Amino acid sequence: MRLIIAEKPSLARAIADALPDRARREDGALHSGDTVVTWCLGHLLEQAPPEAYDPADKQWRLDRLPIVPATFKHVPRPKARSQLAVIRRLLKRADSVVHAGDPDREGQLLVQEVIDYLGYRGPVKRLLVNDLNRPAVKKALTRLADNADFAPLYRAARARSQADWLYGINLTRAWTLTGRQAGHDGVLSVGRVQTPVLGLIARRDAAIREFVPYPFYPLWVDAAVAGGELRAWWVPNATHRLDEKGRLLDRAPADALARALPGGEGRVARLEQQEKRQAPPLPYSLSALQVDAARRYGLSAKAVLDTCQALYERHRLITYPRSDCRYLPRAHLAEAQQTLEGACRSDPTLAGWLDGADFNLRSKAWDDKKVGAHHALAPSGKTPDFDRLSTSEGKVFRLIARNLLAQFYPPLVTFNTKAELTFAHKTFRASGQQVLDPGWKPLFTSREQAPPLPPLQEGESCRALDAGVEARETRPPEPFTDASLIKAMMNISRYVDNPEVKRTLRDTDGLGTEATRAGILETLVARGYLVRRQKALRATRLGSALIGALPEAVATPERTAQWEQRLSAIAEGQGDDAAFQQALVEDLRELLRQSDAGRLRQSLQTAQGETAPASATAKPRRPRKKAAVTSRRKQPPRRSRS
């Protein structure tokens, strides 16, 4: 018997459907001739707790840290025991095994750790499937590789898993025990991903608290040209007092110029005109969908993930949702019209957009080279019954269908103009945009574009009709929302300064993964580090205090880049996973030496004096007598104008 172990049930069904004989389901597997296809349910195993290595480590003690197992152990996840038993029974009958995890690092780990845990020692082949269409799966089944060729990928994934365990277990215990010394009774959880995410929010909140607004004074002029009128804005030079964005900080020069301008003659000194063609937005990855659904409908990242899972598993209306890819296989193009006909006809809005689609068009979304372990989210082609969908399910489904429909609309074509005018040797700028062909734009609601400028000729004369000065004030940064935080996690390189680290983070998937980002936010909320205030995510006093007490290296995303460089080398067969772990243990020892109860106590006291909200779930505790401290409000730092 040949046993194929798929990463998840949907992949197992696709594989069984591509086999020559019709499959029948029996006892957690699909049987087709002499081939049996079974599946994992995500990770069936998890890292064993510290007490599994030494019973003494069940008690949390600083003198036991760092905890570093000589050999890592796994235990079954509680909800996975029955499926693990199915795979164990089938492995005993198998003559050969096919590893059908996703074709990426985590997919290699997920199935391989089950095969190793259950002690199978026979031959193992590797099936690589990144498109669940039957022809693509049939083709993949004829091209099985030797699983041994993927050993470096497995070592890299295993190294990442073990490193996250070492990092989280040791630092969480260290700072929790330090917290007790500082008078805090709860667990202070620290993780490689969750803590930098909390750090992003805490630092943004601090920037908002410490922000000091200041005024600036933009000057406009309304000018008459041969083709009509336009409004342009003065560009003051460095002889004036400006901020880092070139904004004027003294009003007097603007007022004087505004009085002198009306009636004055000038000219169009420079003109840039360009016709631009903008392709439609690509189909969604999960994170991109979470960003749009949060902005448009106020849905949390977790709500979008749960909604997608329901659309995928219960209603079978969309493809696999936990994807980080925004491209589709070329083979799907031939079926796209039929898929969208099935998905869109039962909804008036989608049906109207469907009627306007041109299925002879082909966008850049269809690209096999850019499809990884999964392709972009798309409708399955099944006709939805919107009466049976929840409000959020209907909204999210329409977004997914819309972005696929947009691929069959022409590009948005605009005519963009940038003009530079001079009056009294002073420079003024104006810009405008004219829509020549709306293309896909009517499917999307978005911000209004700059109105078009009148026809202009470089060198033509103009006359100042009126001028005025506006008194504006700088505004603090906006607090993070689910949408902006997910986007920040996707593009985390923007939040670091080191060019090498920035480059590495830009080349990776960012902070967290499609499958974990929503869960990370909810974990931080559940642990009392974050609260939601309307749409805003704000750090609690406890969250702010933890970030203030931790070493900077723990609360910033640079570590992800450093790990990714080492793990990529291991996956390519050029790195040593043992050396990676040894370096991590040395790093942990240094971080553990920096756990400081005094610093944490001061950080907790400082947070009490700030405007950071208390945890929504926190309950007041009676302070321990030994930890009683007379609190004096710390004077705020001198604020800078930035």
Side-chain angles (χ1 to χ4, degrees), residues 474-513:
T474 55
R475 300 177 61 182
E478 293 289 332
F480 277 113
T481 63
D482 275 70
S484 60
L485 187 59
I486 290 290
K487 192 168 184 179
M489 293 170 75
M490 293 166 64
N491 302 284
I492 195 65
S493 62
R494 298 176 183 175
Y495 296 85
V496 300
D497 297 324
N498 184 296
E500 184 176 347
V501 172
K502 184 184 286 284
R503 184 166 52 253
T504 301
L505 288 171
R506 194 162 47 233
D507 293 340
T508 65
D509 292 334
L511 202 56
T513 67

Side-chain angles (χ1 to χ4, degrees), residues 267-525:
R267 72 183 185 92
V268 179
R270 187 178 177 189
L271 190 63
E272 291 183 16
Q273 294 179 314
Q274 183 183 19
E275 183 176 300
K276 291 187 66 176
R277 298 170 66 85
Q278 185 177 344
L282 290 165
Y284 284 117
S285 64
L286 175 60
S287 289
L289 177 62
Q290 287 169 322
V291 170
D292 273 9
R295 286 175 174 169
R296 180 182 283 260
Y297 302 122
L299 296 174
S300 71
K302 179 68 161 50
V304 176
L305 175 58
D306 290 345
T307 299
C308 285
Q309 285 297 125
L311 289 170
Y312 172 63
E313 294 176 352
R314 187 186 318 143
H315 303 292
R316 301 190 184 277
L317 290 174
I318 65 170
T319 58
Y320 181 72
R322 296 177 184 240
S323 173
D324 61 355
C325 179
R326 300 196 68 174
Y327 293 87
L328 293 162
R330 291 180 181 177
H332 286 209
L333 181 59
E335 302 172 359
Q337 183 171 1
Q338 181 181 350
T339 297
L340 288 168
E341 285 279 354
C344 300
R345 278 297 173 205
S346 62
D347 180 72
T349 300
L350 292 175
W353 291 342
L354 179 66
D355 290 338
D358 180 356
F359 289 97
N360 293 313
L361 297 176
R362 175 173 172 170
S363 77
K364 62 181 181 181
W366 316 95
D367 191 340
D368 290 343
K369 293 180 180 178
K370 293 185 178 180
V371 174
H374 307 289
H375 57 67
L377 278 68
S380 66
K382 181 182 176 182
T383 300
D385 180 353
F386 283 93
D387 291 336
R388 299 184 63 182
L389 300 183
S390 69
T391 300
S392 61
E393 287 168 352
K395 288 176 176 177
V396 169
F397 178 79
R398 288 183 182 96
L399 288 179
I400 294 168
R402 179 202 64 181
N403 271 41
L404 184 58
L405 276 168
Q407 309 312 308
F408 301 100
Y409 274 71
L412 165 66
V413 184
T414 58
F415 187 72
N416 300 324
T417 302
K418 293 181 180 180
E420 200 169 276
L421 285 66
T422 57
F423 289 98
H425 305 293
K426 300 292 191 295
T427 299
F428 296 79
R429 288 178 183 158
S431 61
Q433 183 180 85
Q434 179 184 0
V435 177
L436 301 180
D437 184 346
W440 52 266
K441 195 71 171 180
L443 278 65
F444 295 74
T445 56
S446 59
R447 298 175 184 172
E448 294 183 3
Q449 303 296 324
L453 297 180
L456 295 171
Q457 294 290 330
E458 190 168 309
E460 73 171 288
S461 61
C462 52
R463 182 167 56 89
L465 302 174
D466 194 10
V469 178
E470 296 183 3
R472 298 185 185 177
E473 192 172 71
T474 55
R475 300 177 61 182
E478 293 289 332
F480 277 113
T481 63
D482 275 70
S484 60
L485 187 59
I486 290 290
K487 192 168 184 179
M489 293 170 75
M490 293 166 64
N491 302 284
I492 195 65
S493 62
R494 298 176 183 175
Y495 296 85
V496 300
D497 297 324
N498 184 296
E500 184 176 347
V501 172
K502 184 184 286 284
R503 184 166 52 253
T504 301
L505 288 171
R506 194 162 47 233
D507 293 340
T508 65
D509 292 334
L511 202 56
T513 67
E514 307 294 317
T516 62
R517 286 176 185 139
I520 288 166
L521 301 194
E522 298 308 317
T523 296
L524 290 169
V525 171

Side-chain angles (χ1 to χ4, degrees), residues 574-586:
Q574 300 171 358
D576 183 348
D577 47 325
F580 169 70
Q581 186 180 112
Q582 182 57 41
L584 170 62
V585 171
E586 293 173 6

Side-chain angles (χ1 to χ4, degrees), residues 56-71:
D57 283 323
K58 188 169 185 178
Q59 182 181 5
W60 291 27
R61 290 169 44 186
L62 281 171
D63 62 358
R64 299 284 300 178
L65 303 180
I67 299 169
V68 183
T71 303

